[in-house]
Amino acid sequence: MLESSHRVFYRMTKVKTLKEEVYKKIAAGEVVERPLSVVKELVENSIDAGADSITVELLEGGKRLIKITDNGSGFDPEDIEPAFKNHSTSKLTDLADFDTLSTLGFRGEALPSILEVSKIRIETSGNDNGSGIRCVFEDGHLREREEIACKRGTTIAVRDLFYNFPVRGKFLKAERTELNQVVSFLEPVALVNFRVSFELVHNGKTLFIYKKAESLKERIYQVFGKDFLDALREVNYVEDNYGLKGFISKLNTGISVKKHQYYFVNGRSVKEKTLMASFNNTFEKYLEKHRKPVGILLLTVPPCEVDVNIHPMKLEIKFENSNTIYRFIKHGIESAFPGGGTFDAPGYHMDMDHAVPPPPGQGGGFGSPYPSGYRGGGSGYTGGMDARMPYMPPRGGAGGRMEQGDFDQAQLFSGGFLNEEEFILIGQYKNSYILVEKNEELLIIDQHNAQERVNFDKLKKQYSEHNVVSISPLFPVIIELSSSEAGKMNDETMKILEKTGFRLEPLSGNSYDVKAFPQVLDEQNIKDTILEIIHMPEEQVSVEDRVLAEVACKSAIKVNHKLYPDQMKAIVTNLFKTTNPYFCPHKRPIIIDLTLEEIEKRMKRK
Ligand code: ADP
Ligand code: MG
């Protein structure tokens, strides 16, 4: 009883059918919410009518007037009035037509809905004789109809939105807000329909004119300018019946907010969570933390695999198989980067346990003298392959510990699973950066960060399998801690150290004897690494990952260190098999990539 006292009971009257004028307005409200909705429906109609020039004129944010002029097919005289009747469309007759739908509209609801809540004047011609028709509709009815002189195309003027529906009118926002919504709508529409010229005029002032463009690229330039375009790279990818075209952020750029992500499915601008999730998740490995990718993504899928009829304003869609779409987008994005999708290629695994001795003539690479003329066109380096030939990594790894103490592990990656990982090694810059040509791009690879990533992935795998390979030091290593450091040496730290491959035995006082350490680590770095681990600041990353990152970092080759070609090749090959070749575990960039286009631009060849 107590509970029911909170509930309010309405006195129900008998069920009755709404008067036509009432239900029509309610229905119209679904499609027409504000000026934006009218602009959207009319612009989409113009695009469906094949126009390549569309002008949008607004007065007072569209509240007073929305006028759309196009040079599309126009109406035949007898089609005008039916078009303003409910469910009349020229685009769809059967349910089966949905499977081949290529138009933006299909419900035949827009014109009648707009007419319900505004006054409309239409001038249209469906011929090239210069004659057309003008019709004026008010209060839902045709008021005037006359022949006029008119070019092919259509102008529809929508006046006094919600003049007869004041409740809805009250919800309209300030002129500026309504206008901004129209601008934000036109932006993506103009992008995907780059062959159509668009003009927006507000209160008599032209806000933009995008002339007919030849390519999406040109349109992006028109809409967002040169700097925006310069930070993008092209994606063009096909898999089965799916296609992905567009432009995305270059490696290690992005912006700080999730803005400027435009998704289109079969020419329709959509919000769809699979697309957004796949795009943003896939991009995490190409950007620094807290950066978001820019993306203008034009996806084509068979119309029968997408439901476009789930939202009153057709803003949302539903994929029949979103997992397939997720994977497709992921592959598409990865295909645009020099590493391709190699790091999750089928069958890929990091094989740590199958180090085999190098085949004769290949293992000695590291020990061979660094050839003086290595970069000089073919002479010089003769480590079994032409330096300018695409590099196919050797099968099997090198044995034995290297001089630097870190290439043996890198080499362990090479099992029998290498796929065509092609690149051309150009050389080393400042003894710190490896220069590589891959997929027609010039990559500048930070040798330290690269190896840190390789080591990290390897350690992480060993760690998760409780299988970190550790070895004993050749000479006793005793670590003396300060009392505050010793305080941090609690059970948890000890446990993590142990899982990471360290074994420490307490001696008297605050001293420890290091009985074993991870094999990847150089013996001389043992103390430093343990101290770093003890002093690690609290971050959001898991302790394990931080410890592993530390070990990986300490075991990686430093910058300012001359490398032999085989060593560089090993690093690059292994790098592209890691989970993220673009950022080291500390999220520092590993690769800078320069496209031919960028280089040619700076050389003023383009
Ligand atoms: P839908 O777009 O779903 O077919 P609408 O109510 O938006 O429904 O339009 C009804 C019909 O009017 C369209 O199918 C089309 O034949 C015609 N039409 C609308 N706008 C235009 C236009 N700008 N140019 C030529 N025909 C148009
Ligand atoms: Mg329509």
Side-chain angles (χ1 to χ4, degrees):
M1 276 320 281
L2 239 170
E3 269 175 40
S4 68
S5 67
H6 293 285
R7 290 159 64 192
V8 179
F9 291 94
Y10 292 99
R11 247 191 86 172
M12 298 289 182
T13 51
K14 277 201 166 315
V15 174
K16 54 189 177 211
T17 308
L18 289 172
K19 277 193 233 147
E20 184 178 312
E21 59 180 75
V22 178
Y23 78 64
K24 270 188 168 170
K25 267 190 203 159
I26 292 173
E30 292 230 312
V31 181
V32 185
E33 217 178 60
R34 49 189 354 108
L36 164 68
S37 354
V38 176
V39 174
K40 178 177 189 298
E41 293 297 337
L42 297 185
V43 166
E44 289 185 352
N45 279 349
S46 299
I47 292 168
D48 284 345
D52 71 358
S53 168
I54 299 174
T55 302
V56 179
E57 292 168 76
L58 307 176
L59 284 180
E60 295 174 19
K63 293 187 274 188
R64 270 281 300 288
L65 172 76
I66 297 163
K67 187 165 134 197
I68 314 278
T69 304
D70 71 50
N71 65 350
S73 63
F75 288 73
D76 285 338
E78 65 277 12
D79 283 344
I80 302 172
E81 286 171 68
F84 285 86
K85 300 244 158 65
N86 264 324
H87 306 303
S88 37
T89 174
S90 57
K91 301 167 191 173
L92 196 84
T93 34
D94 264 318
L95 273 183
D97 294 343
F98 266 113
D99 287 350
T100 52
L101 191 72
S102 63
T103 51
L104 296 168
F106 50 81
R107 291 189 191 133
E109 276 181 355
L111 294 184
S113 305
I114 297 168
L115 178 57
E116 276 304 313
V117 293
S118 69
K119 306 165 187 167
I120 295 184
R121 168 192 297 247
I122 172 171
E123 295 180 359
T124 182
S125 163
N127 62 59
D128 294 312
N129 312 329
S131 68
I133 307 279
R134 173 190 296 144
C135 289
V136 177
F137 296 86
E138 244 187 79
D139 298 325
H141 298 289
L142 180 68
R143 297 285 180 225
E144 277 172 40
R145 178 179 170 118
E146 60 186 325
E147 276 205 22
I148 53 163
C150 180
K151 278 196 303 200
R152 183 189 281 274
T154 305
T155 298
I156 296 187
V158 174
R159 260 171 231 286
D160 301 332
L161 194 60
F162 301 129
Y163 75 102
N164 54 352
F165 203 175
V167 183
R168 205 163 270 275
K170 267 200 273 190
F171 283 100
L172 291 182
K173 301 253 169 48
E175 183 171 313
R176 179 104 322 244
T177 314
E178 299 294 342
L179 172 66
N180 285 345
Q181 291 187 354
V182 171
V183 174
S184 316
F185 159 74
L186 285 176
E187 223 163 56
V189 170
L191 286 172
V192 69
N193 297 289
F194 55 82
R195 292 204 166 82
V196 180
S197 77
F198 285 91
E199 179 173 358
L200 176 63
V201 180
H202 184 243
N203 292 345
K205 200 170 137 224
T206 299
L207 298 189
F208 60 71
I209 301 180
Y210 305 137
K211 291 237 154 60
K212 237 167 110 70
E214 286 306 314
S215 62
L216 173 61
K217 191 172 173 180
E218 190 184 335
R219 180 50 59 87
I220 294 173
Y221 175 82
Q222 293 171 335
V223 178
F224 299 114
K226 180 174 178 299
D227 288 350
F228 186 89
L229 184 62
D230 279 349
L232 302 181
R233 64 186 302 151
E234 194 163 0
V235 44
N236 195 346
Y237 184 71
V238 177
E239 196 180 296
D240 301 327
N241 290 323
Y242 307 106
L244 179 68
K245 273 181 198 273
F247 287 83
I248 55 178
S249 282
K250 279 183 183 157
L251 189 58
N252 208 0
T253 58
I255 51 177
S256 56
V257 285
K258 212 186 254 182
K259 215 175 108 186
H260 295 316
Q261 293 186 0
Y262 305 94
Y263 303 91
F264 304 93
V265 174
N266 298 342
R268 190 186 297 277
S269 169
V270 295
K271 297 235 176 306
E272 202 281 328
K273 55 184 191 315
T274 310
L275 299 178
M276 296 191 228
S278 181
F279 180 59
N280 285 287
N281 293 344
T282 305
F283 235 104
E284 270 178 19
K285 60 175 169 263
Y286 303 115
L287 300 180
E288 279 175 77
K289 246 189 232 160
H290 313 305
R291 305 288 286 175
K292 301 284 175 234
V294 168
I296 295 153
L297 299 176
L298 279 53
L299 180 67
T300 39
V301 308
C304 59
E305 289 186 26
V306 38
D307 189 350
V308 292
N309 197 22
I310 60 162
H311 187 274
M313 287 170 77
K314 294 172 285 184
L315 295 174
E316 289 169 15
I317 57 162
K318 192 163 179 276
F319 290 115
E320 190 180 82
N321 190 343
S322 42
N323 288 340
T324 310
I325 299 290
Y326 188 99
R327 252 177 286 126
F328 170 71
I329 297 292
K330 178 172 188 288
H331 294 163
I333 300 303
E334 287 172 349
S335 78
F337 288 95
T342 47
F343 32 89
D344 74 349
Y348 159 61
H349 65 293
M350 286 195 261
D351 192 344
M352 309 303 158
D353 308 323
H354 295 91
V356 287
Q362 262 180 1
F366 296 166
S368 58
Y370 192 72
S372 51
Y374 165 58
R375 289 173 67 172
S379 69
Y381 175 64
T382 50
M385 55 208 95
D386 182 340
R388 298 296 306 174
M389 288 288 282
Y391 174 63
M392 304 297 289
R395 301 194 152 240
R401 256 178 109 110
M402 295 310 123
E403 194 191 334
Q404 290 80 18
D406 27 24
F407 288 100
D408 46 349
Q409 287 89 29
Q411 285 293 84
L412 293 187
F413 282 113
S414 37
F417 57 91
L418 294 174
N419 41 22
E420 284 74 8
E421 187 57 65
E422 290 189 13
F423 61 86
I424 298 167
L425 179 67
I426 299 171
Q428 194 184 21
Y429 172 68
K430 288 276 179 198
N431 290 339
S432 302
Y433 300 97
I434 304 170
L435 306 184
V436 158
E437 178 186 331
K438 186 165 164 59
N439 297 348
E440 309 222 314
E441 295 189 359
L442 175 61
L443 307 187
I444 304 169
I445 301 175
D446 182 308
Q447 64 194 38
H448 170 76
N449 291 354
Q451 223 203 348
E452 189 177 340
R453 163 54 69 190
V454 170
N455 288 347
F456 177 82
D457 274 29
K458 193 170 73 144
L459 267 174
K460 180 132 192 185
K461 182 171 188 288
Q462 293 180 348
Y463 182 88
S464 63
E465 292 170 354
H466 304 281
N467 198 18
V468 178
V469 180
S470 57
I471 51 174
S472 324
L474 288 176
F475 302 101
V477 179
I478 309 292
I479 264 200
E480 308 228 2
L481 302 179
S482 68
S483 42
S484 76
E485 286 166 345
K488 292 182 182 165
M489 211 38 149
N490 52 24
D491 280 357
E492 201 199 350
T493 316
M494 279 297 244
K495 223 191 297 163
I496 290 171
L497 281 170
E498 216 153 273
K499 265 182 94 184
T500 329
F502 291 99
R503 196 152 53 76
L504 275 65
E505 269 181 21
L507 301 173
S508 59
N510 292 329
S511 305
Y512 290 83
D513 184 3
V514 182
K515 291 290 191 195
F517 65 98
Q519 189 201 26
V520 287
L521 212 53
D522 208 18
E523 205 161 319
Q524 69 210 31
N525 287 330
I526 296 176
K527 281 190 189 177
D528 270 2
T529 311
I530 293 176
L531 286 175
E532 295 260 9
I533 290 171
I534 293 174
H535 285 285
M536 249 175 218
E538 291 294 324
E539 279 177 46
Q540 271 141 354
V541 197
S542 76
V543 191
E544 284 88 348
D545 271 9
R546 279 187 284 139
V547 172
L548 295 175
E550 201 46 53
V551 175
C553 174
K554 277 284 183 306
S555 58
I557 187 149
K558 301 288 173 284
V559 291
N560 275 318
H561 191 109
K562 191 171 206 154
L563 297 175
Y564 297 116
D566 274 358
Q567 297 176 309
M568 294 189 251
K569 285 171 183 170
I571 294 179
V572 177
T573 306
N574 291 328
L575 176 65
F576 279 111
K577 293 205 192 78
T578 60
T579 50
N580 185 350
Y582 303 100
F583 288 93
C584 82
H586 293 103
K587 266 280 182 184
R588 283 189 307 261
I590 299 173
I591 299 177
I592 292 175
D593 65 333
L594 290 172
T595 60
L596 182 62
E597 201 191 356
E598 287 171 282
I599 292 170
E600 285 180 340
K601 234 187 214 162
R602 294 185 61 178
M603 296 293 181
K604 306 277 183 236
R605 283 182 182 275
K606 271 198 167 164

